[in-house]
Amino acid sequence: MYLKEGRSLLLSLRNSKKSLPFVFNTNPHLNLDPQYERSHPILKESQVLTRLENEPSISIALDYFKSIANSKAFRHTALTYRTMIRRLGDEGNVDGIQYLLHQMKLEGLHCNPGLFVNVINSFVKVGLSEQALKLFYRIDEFGCKPTVKMYNLLLDALLSENRFEMVSSTYRIMKADRVEPNVYTYNILLKAMCKNNRVDAARKLLLQMPDKGCDPDVVSYTTVISCMCNLGNVDEAKELSTRFQPSVPMYNALINGFCKEERIQEAMKLLNQMVEDGVPPNVITYSTVISSLADRGNVELALAVFCKMFVRNCTPNLHTFSSLIKGYFAYGRCHGALAVWNRMISEGVEPNFVVYNTLLHGLASRGRMEEAISVFNTMGKYGWSANITTYGTLIDGFAKSGDLIGSSETWNRMINSGCVPNVVVYTSMVDALCRNSMFNEAHCLIESMAAENCLPNTVTFNVFIKHLACGGRTEWAVRVLDGMGRYGCSPNATTYNELLVGVLQSGVKQGIDLFKEMEERGIMPNLLTYNSILHLVSRAGMVDIALQLVGKMVVLGMKPDAFTFNMVIDAYSRQGKVDTAIRVMEGLSSGGKWSPDSAAYTNILWGICNEFGVEKASSGLEKMVETGVFPNVATWNVLVRGLFTSLDNVGSVSLFGDIISDNG
């Protein structure tokens, strides 16, 4: 090993009274005088090790390593090689490691198992598992024998890169080398099988481990049980767990599995069983249950579990608090969410960026913009810089509150901070403009998106079309739909649904034409689409078309909802077929498919009033109340109109209608 000719290294002699330069010649062709060598001290191994370990610069350390070898002031040992290789490994310099291994082999120095483990680990750290394996196959060249630790390191590295076939082949070589696998080896194999969805093979190996002279540990059976739960085999996983010593990770895997399948009661039973078995639940256990309960709206029970954590001296973490906060907000419980937030701060749990954004989203989505801005300012005080999600949340909140000034100021603040708006933020800004009837400005903003290299998407157009249609600008909305293709966008069911809302006042023909256009484009109508069309045809008394639409829904596997049934009943009532409407309602309710609501009874009463008069309708009202369905404003409106109509007082009907509308 040589440095370039002409290089030298200046060292200071430690024992001299005065620090004098000592020059090591690095020219291999220039031999030092023997008398000179004898008169100068040879470096000790401890000195070399100290210098190699303490030198901050790896390049200087390597130069020093080479220089002293070239100068013949020191003959490197296995220990100095090992130290230098370890330092190169820390820097990820695998080329340098291979070179030094080659030099060791030339100098007849053998690698010990510990050194070779370091070498393999260095290759693995830089993602060169396959190269590490190739080097490992040459282990005999370096005077070293493979160990179980080496094989485990390689197997784990191959597994981390999902090289399942190489894991299997390496394990076979391991057995051929008569290297006995240990529990860590089997755990890697179990994990490989589970990652490859071979859970049956993993379960079989787990049960065979004792026969192979290696008892499974908590990692072994937790790996398999967790995989079974993730694949939906929770009951089988629970049965398998009875064969092993109960542990916190095993219970956590089972509880997580039951929660994912929304079997909360069974998850709660396991939580109680843990305590009975003397296995104390940890923060992961409680957080899993709390998160599942909160996600499903049962925040009261989630809070009860949360309180139980404190009773059992288990400190909640950030995930615990954030799950509760998210759950409260999801069901409109802002006060509860803020109470949990305050408790989190008082407990000394510092919020992260995700939790701040969760709080912002919860407040903004509920229109509590002053509090949202306060949280936003607090983020800045604690060093959290807002990102595009943060700004987008605020702009969307202001937009839904109809606050164009708030949206605009936040937009400008975002631009000034150097944050580039994405399509979501642009869409929120389009929404803000449209809610303030600034349709031309919204259209200009959409057109400017292309210039800013941020093309609008289908959601952007859906928002614009919705506001145009609801604002009575149906023709403009249709033109926007037709022009979506210029931006590489295609309409979807939501696009047509938004447009259908606008044509409800335009007549049945335009609505049916839009419905046909959807089908021609290959866009599958959804429940909302069918209900919108049903609303049109039922108001027109077109029972046959309404029934055809319902039949089509059923054929397509769509489940009609209460609105669907109400529209069919309304269609019969408007056509004067009240008896049929009543039979349909009674048939559906007796079959358990649907429970009639106030809207259904109101539609029936409307038909009765028109056909038989208000006196007959009063008996229908009594039956309505007897079934536990109480009349609302619309119901009384129908009855009062029926009463006035029977008195031939058209003027009074009109006047009463105006009063009802003004107070609705």
Coordinates of all heavy atoms in Angstrom, one line a residue, residues 220-273:
S220 N -41.4 -13.8 18.1 CA -41.8 -14.9 17.2 C -43.3 -14.9 17.0 O -43.9 -14.8 15.9 CB -41.3 -16.2 17.6 OG -39.9 -16.1 18.0
Y221 N -44.0 -15.1 18.1 CA -45.5 -15.3 18.0 C -46.2 -14.0 17.8 O -47.3 -14.0 17.1 CB -46.1 -16.1 19.2 CG -45.8 -15.6 20.5 CD1 -46.5 -14.6 21.1 CD2 -44.8 -16.3 21.3 CE1 -46.3 -14.2 22.4 CE2 -44.6 -15.9 22.6 CZ -45.3 -14.8 23.2 OH -45.1 -14.4 24.4
T222 N -45.7 -12.9 18.2 CA -46.3 -11.6 17.9 C -46.3 -11.3 16.4 O -47.2 -10.8 15.9 CB -45.7 -10.5 18.7 OG1 -45.7 -10.8 20.1 CG2 -46.4 -9.2 18.4
T223 N -45.2 -11.7 15.8 CA -45.0 -11.4 14.3 C -46.1 -12.2 13.6 O -46.8 -11.6 12.7 CB -43.7 -11.9 13.8 OG1 -42.6 -11.1 14.5 CG2 -43.5 -11.8 12.3
V224 N -46.3 -13.4 13.9 CA -47.3 -14.3 13.2 C -48.7 -13.8 13.5 O -49.6 -13.7 12.6 CB -47.1 -15.8 13.5 CG1 -48.2 -16.6 12.8 CG2 -45.7 -16.2 13.1
I225 N -49.0 -13.6 14.8 CA -50.3 -13.2 15.2 C -50.7 -11.8 14.6 O -51.8 -11.6 14.1 CB -50.4 -13.1 16.8 CG1 -50.4 -14.5 17.3 CG2 -51.6 -12.4 17.2 CD1 -50.2 -14.6 18.8
S226 N -49.8 -10.9 14.6 CA -50.0 -9.6 14.0 C -50.3 -9.7 12.5 O -51.2 -9.1 12.0 CB -48.8 -8.7 14.2 OG -49.0 -7.4 13.6
C227 N -49.6 -10.6 11.8 CA -49.9 -10.8 10.4 C -51.2 -11.4 10.1 O -52.0 -11.0 9.2 CB -48.8 -11.7 9.8 SG -49.0 -12.1 8.0
M228 N -51.6 -12.4 11.0 CA -52.9 -13.0 10.8 C -54.0 -12.0 11.0 O -55.0 -12.0 10.3 CB -53.1 -14.1 11.8 CG -52.1 -15.3 11.6 SD -52.2 -16.6 12.8 CE -53.8 -17.3 12.5
C229 N -53.8 -11.1 12.0 CA -54.8 -10.0 12.3 C -54.9 -9.1 11.1 O -56.0 -8.7 10.7 CB -54.5 -9.3 13.5 SG -54.7 -10.2 15.0
N230 N -53.8 -8.7 10.5 CA -53.8 -7.8 9.4 C -54.5 -8.4 8.2 O -55.0 -7.6 7.3 CB -52.3 -7.4 9.0 CG -51.7 -6.5 10.0 OD1 -52.4 -5.8 10.8 ND2 -50.4 -6.5 10.1
L231 N -54.5 -9.7 8.0 CA -55.1 -10.4 6.9 C -56.6 -10.7 7.2 O -57.2 -11.3 6.4 CB -54.3 -11.6 6.5 CG -52.9 -11.4 6.0 CD1 -52.2 -12.7 5.8 CD2 -53.0 -10.6 4.7
G232 N -57.0 -10.3 8.4 CA -58.4 -10.5 8.7 C -58.7 -11.8 9.5 O -59.9 -12.1 9.7
N233 N -57.7 -12.5 9.8 CA -57.9 -13.8 10.5 C -57.8 -13.6 12.0 O -56.9 -14.3 12.7 CB -56.9 -14.9 10.0 CG -56.9 -15.1 8.5 OD1 -58.0 -15.0 7.9 ND2 -55.8 -15.3 7.9
V234 N -58.6 -12.7 12.5 CA -58.4 -12.4 14.0 C -58.8 -13.5 14.9 O -58.1 -13.7 15.9 CB -59.3 -11.1 14.3 CG1 -59.1 -10.6 15.7 CG2 -59.0 -10.0 13.3
D235 N -59.9 -14.2 14.6 CA -60.3 -15.3 15.4 C -59.3 -16.4 15.5 O -59.0 -17.0 16.6 CB -61.6 -15.9 15.0 CG -62.8 -14.9 15.1 OD1 -62.9 -14.3 16.2 OD2 -63.5 -14.6 14.1
E236 N -58.7 -16.8 14.3 CA -57.6 -17.8 14.3 C -56.4 -17.3 15.1 O -55.7 -18.1 15.8 CB -57.2 -18.1 12.9 CG -58.3 -18.8 12.1 CD -59.2 -17.8 11.4 OE1 -59.3 -16.6 11.8 OE2 -59.9 -18.2 10.4
A237 N -56.1 -16.0 15.0 CA -55.0 -15.4 15.7 C -55.2 -15.5 17.2 O -54.3 -15.8 18.0 CB -54.7 -14.0 15.3
K238 N -56.4 -15.2 17.6 CA -56.7 -15.3 19.0 C -56.6 -16.7 19.6 O -56.0 -17.0 20.7 CB -58.1 -14.8 19.3 CG -58.5 -14.7 20.8 CD -59.9 -14.2 21.0 CE -60.2 -14.2 22.5 NZ -61.6 -13.7 22.7
E239 N -57.0 -17.7 18.8 CA -56.9 -19.1 19.1 C -55.4 -19.5 19.3 O -55.0 -20.2 20.2 CB -57.6 -20.0 18.1 CG -57.7 -21.5 18.5 CD -56.4 -22.3 18.2 OE1 -55.8 -22.0 17.2 OE2 -56.1 -23.2 19.0
L240 N -54.6 -19.0 18.3 CA -53.1 -19.3 18.3 C -52.5 -18.7 19.5 O -51.5 -19.3 20.1 CB -52.5 -18.8 17.0 CG -51.0 -19.0 16.9 CD1 -50.6 -20.5 16.8 CD2 -50.5 -18.3 15.6
S241 N -52.9 -17.5 19.9 CA -52.3 -16.8 21.1 C -52.4 -17.6 22.4 O -51.6 -17.4 23.3 CB -52.9 -15.5 21.2 OG -54.3 -15.6 21.7
T242 N -53.4 -18.5 22.5 CA -53.6 -19.3 23.7 C -52.5 -20.3 24.0 O -52.4 -20.8 25.1 CB -55.0 -20.0 23.7 OG1 -55.0 -20.9 22.6 CG2 -56.1 -19.0 23.6
R243 N -51.7 -20.5 23.0 CA -50.6 -21.5 23.1 C -49.3 -20.9 23.7 O -48.3 -21.6 23.9 CB -50.3 -22.1 21.7 CG -51.4 -22.8 21.1 CD -51.0 -23.6 19.9 NE -52.1 -24.1 19.1 CZ -52.0 -25.2 18.3 NH1 -50.8 -25.7 18.0 NH2 -53.0 -25.6 17.6
F244 N -49.3 -19.5 23.8 CA -48.1 -18.9 24.2 C -48.3 -18.0 25.5 O -49.5 -17.7 25.9 CB -47.6 -18.0 23.1 CG -47.3 -18.7 21.8 CD1 -48.2 -18.7 20.8 CD2 -46.2 -19.5 21.7 CE1 -48.0 -19.4 19.6 CE2 -45.9 -20.2 20.5 CZ -46.9 -20.1 19.5
Q245 N -47.2 -17.7 26.1 CA -47.3 -16.8 27.3 C -47.8 -15.4 26.9 O -47.4 -14.8 26.0 CB -45.9 -16.7 27.9 CG -45.8 -15.9 29.2 CD -46.4 -16.7 30.4 OE1 -46.5 -17.9 30.4 NE2 -46.9 -16.0 31.4
P246 N -48.9 -15.0 27.6 CA -49.4 -13.7 27.3 C -48.4 -12.6 27.5 O -47.6 -12.6 28.4 CB -50.6 -13.5 28.4 CG -50.9 -14.9 28.9 CD -49.6 -15.6 28.8
S247 N -48.4 -11.6 26.5 CA -47.5 -10.5 26.6 C -48.2 -9.3 26.0 O -49.2 -9.3 25.4 CB -46.3 -10.8 25.7 OG -46.6 -10.9 24.4
V248 N -47.6 -8.1 26.4 CA -48.2 -6.8 25.9 C -48.2 -6.8 24.4 O -49.3 -6.4 23.8 CB -47.5 -5.6 26.5 CG1 -48.0 -4.3 25.9 CG2 -47.6 -5.6 28.0
P249 N -47.1 -7.1 23.7 CA -47.2 -7.0 22.2 C -48.2 -7.9 21.6 O -48.9 -7.5 20.6 CB -45.7 -7.4 21.8 CG -44.9 -7.0 22.9 CD -45.8 -7.3 24.1
M250 N -48.4 -9.1 22.2 CA -49.3 -10.0 21.6 C -50.8 -9.5 21.8 O -51.6 -9.5 20.8 CB -49.2 -11.4 22.3 CG -50.1 -12.5 21.7 SD -50.1 -14.0 22.7 CE -51.1 -13.5 24.1
Y251 N -51.1 -9.0 23.0 CA -52.4 -8.4 23.2 C -52.6 -7.2 22.3 O -53.7 -7.0 21.7 CB -52.6 -8.0 24.6 CG -53.1 -9.1 25.5 CD1 -52.4 -9.7 26.5 CD2 -54.4 -9.5 25.4 CE1 -52.9 -10.7 27.3 CE2 -55.0 -10.5 26.2 CZ -54.2 -11.1 27.2 OH -54.7 -12.1 28.0
N252 N -51.6 -6.4 22.1 CA -51.7 -5.2 21.3 C -52.1 -5.6 19.8 O -52.9 -4.9 19.2 CB -50.4 -4.4 21.3 CG -50.3 -3.6 22.6 OD1 -51.2 -3.5 23.4 ND2 -49.1 -3.0 22.8
A253 N -51.4 -6.6 19.3 CA -51.7 -7.1 18.0 C -53.2 -7.6 17.8 O -53.8 -7.2 16.9 CB -50.7 -8.2 17.6
L254 N -53.6 -8.3 18.8 CA -55.0 -8.8 18.8 C -56.0 -7.7 18.9 O -57.0 -7.6 18.2 CB -55.2 -9.8 19.9 CG -54.5 -11.2 19.8 CD1 -54.7 -12.0 21.1 CD2 -55.1 -12.0 18.6
I255 N -55.8 -6.8 19.8 CA -56.7 -5.6 20.0 C -56.7 -4.8 18.8 O -57.8 -4.3 18.3 CB -56.3 -4.8 21.3 CG1 -56.6 -5.6 22.5 CG2 -56.9 -3.4 21.3 CD1 -56.0 -5.0 23.8
N256 N -55.6 -4.5 18.2 CA -55.5 -3.8 16.9 C -56.3 -4.5 15.8 O -57.0 -3.8 15.0 CB -54.1 -3.6 16.5 CG -54.0 -2.7 15.3 OD1 -54.5 -1.5 15.2 ND2 -53.3 -3.2 14.2
G257 N -56.2 -5.8 15.8 CA -57.0 -6.6 14.8 C -58.5 -6.5 14.9 O -59.2 -6.3 14.0
F258 N -58.9 -6.6 16.2 CA -60.4 -6.5 16.4 C -60.9 -5.1 16.2 O -62.0 -4.9 15.6 CB -60.7 -6.8 17.9 CG -60.8 -8.3 18.1 CD1 -59.8 -9.0 18.9 CD2 -61.8 -9.1 17.5 CE1 -59.9 -10.4 19.1 CE2 -61.8 -10.5 17.7 CZ -60.9 -11.1 18.5
C259 N -60.1 -4.0 16.5 CA -60.5 -2.7 16.2 C -60.6 -2.4 14.7 O -61.5 -1.7 14.3 CB -59.4 -1.7 16.8 SG -59.6 -1.6 18.6
K260 N -59.7 -3.0 13.9 CA -59.7 -2.8 12.5 C -61.0 -3.4 11.9 O -61.5 -2.9 10.9 CB -58.5 -3.4 11.8 CG -57.2 -2.5 11.9 CD -56.1 -3.2 11.2 CE -54.8 -2.3 11.2 NZ -53.7 -2.9 10.5
E261 N -61.5 -4.4 12.5 CA -62.7 -5.1 12.0 C -63.9 -4.5 12.7 O -65.0 -5.1 12.5 CB -62.6 -6.6 12.3 CG -61.6 -7.3 11.4 CD -61.8 -8.8 11.3 OE1 -62.6 -9.3 12.1 OE2 -61.1 -9.4 10.6
E262 N -63.7 -3.4 13.4 CA -64.8 -2.7 14.1 C -65.5 -3.6 15.1 O -66.7 -3.4 15.4 CB -65.8 -2.1 13.1 CG -65.2 -1.2 12.1 CD -66.2 -0.5 11.2 OE1 -67.4 -0.5 11.6 OE2 -65.8 0.1 10.2
R263 N -64.8 -4.6 15.7 CA -65.3 -5.4 16.8 C -64.9 -4.9 18.1 O -64.1 -5.5 18.8 CB -64.9 -6.9 16.5 CG -65.5 -7.4 15.2 CD -64.7 -8.7 14.8 NE -64.9 -9.8 15.7 CZ -64.4 -11.0 15.4 NH1 -63.7 -11.2 14.3 NH2 -64.6 -12.0 16.3
I264 N -65.4 -3.7 18.4 CA -64.9 -2.9 19.6 C -65.2 -3.6 20.9 O -64.3 -3.6 21.8 CB -65.5 -1.5 19.6 CG1 -65.3 -0.8 18.2 CG2 -65.0 -0.7 20.7 CD1 -63.9 -0.6 17.9
Q265 N -66.3 -4.3 21.0 CA -66.7 -4.9 22.3 C -65.6 -6.0 22.6 O -65.2 -6.2 23.7 CB -68.1 -5.5 22.2 CG -69.2 -4.5 22.1 CD -69.2 -3.6 23.3 OE1 -69.0 -4.0 24.4 NE2 -69.5 -2.3 23.1
E266 N -65.2 -6.8 21.6 CA -64.2 -7.8 21.8 C -62.9 -7.2 22.1 O -62.1 -7.8 22.9 CB -64.2 -8.7 20.5 CG -65.4 -9.6 20.4 CD -65.5 -10.2 19.0 OE1 -66.0 -9.5 18.1 OE2 -65.2 -11.4 18.8
A267 N -62.6 -6.1 21.5 CA -61.3 -5.4 21.8 C -61.3 -5.0 23.3 O -60.3 -5.1 24.0 CB -61.1 -4.2 20.9
M268 N -62.5 -4.5 23.7 CA -62.6 -4.0 25.1 C -62.5 -5.2 26.1 O -61.9 -5.1 27.2 CB -63.9 -3.3 25.3 CG -64.1 -2.0 24.6 SD -63.0 -0.7 25.2 CE -63.7 -0.4 26.8
K269 N -63.0 -6.3 25.7 CA -62.9 -7.5 26.6 C -61.5 -8.0 26.7 O -61.0 -8.4 27.8 CB -63.7 -8.7 25.9 CG -65.2 -8.5 26.1 CD -66.0 -9.7 25.5 CE -67.5 -9.6 25.6 NZ -68.2 -10.7 24.9
L270 N -60.7 -7.9 25.6 CA -59.3 -8.2 25.6 C -58.5 -7.3 26.5 O -57.6 -7.7 27.3 CB -58.7 -8.2 24.2 CG -58.9 -9.5 23.4 CD1 -58.4 -9.3 22.0 CD2 -58.2 -10.7 24.0
L271 N -58.9 -6.0 26.5 CA -58.3 -5.0 27.3 C -58.5 -5.3 28.8 O -57.5 -5.3 29.6 CB -58.9 -3.6 27.0 CG -58.3 -2.4 27.8 CD1 -56.8 -2.2 27.5 CD2 -59.0 -1.1 27.4
N272 N -59.7 -5.7 29.2 CA -59.9 -6.1 30.5 C -59.2 -7.4 30.9 O -58.8 -7.6 32.0 CB -61.5 -6.3 30.8 CG -62.2 -4.9 30.6 OD1 -61.6 -3.9 31.0 ND2 -63.4 -5.0 30.1
Q273 N -59.2 -8.4 29.9 CA -58.5 -9.6 30.1 C -57.0 -9.5 30.4 O -56.4 -10.2 31.2 CB -58.7 -10.6 28.9 CG -58.2 -12.0 29.1 CD -58.4 -12.8 27.9 OE1 -59.4 -12.7 27.2 NE2 -57.4 -13.7 27.6

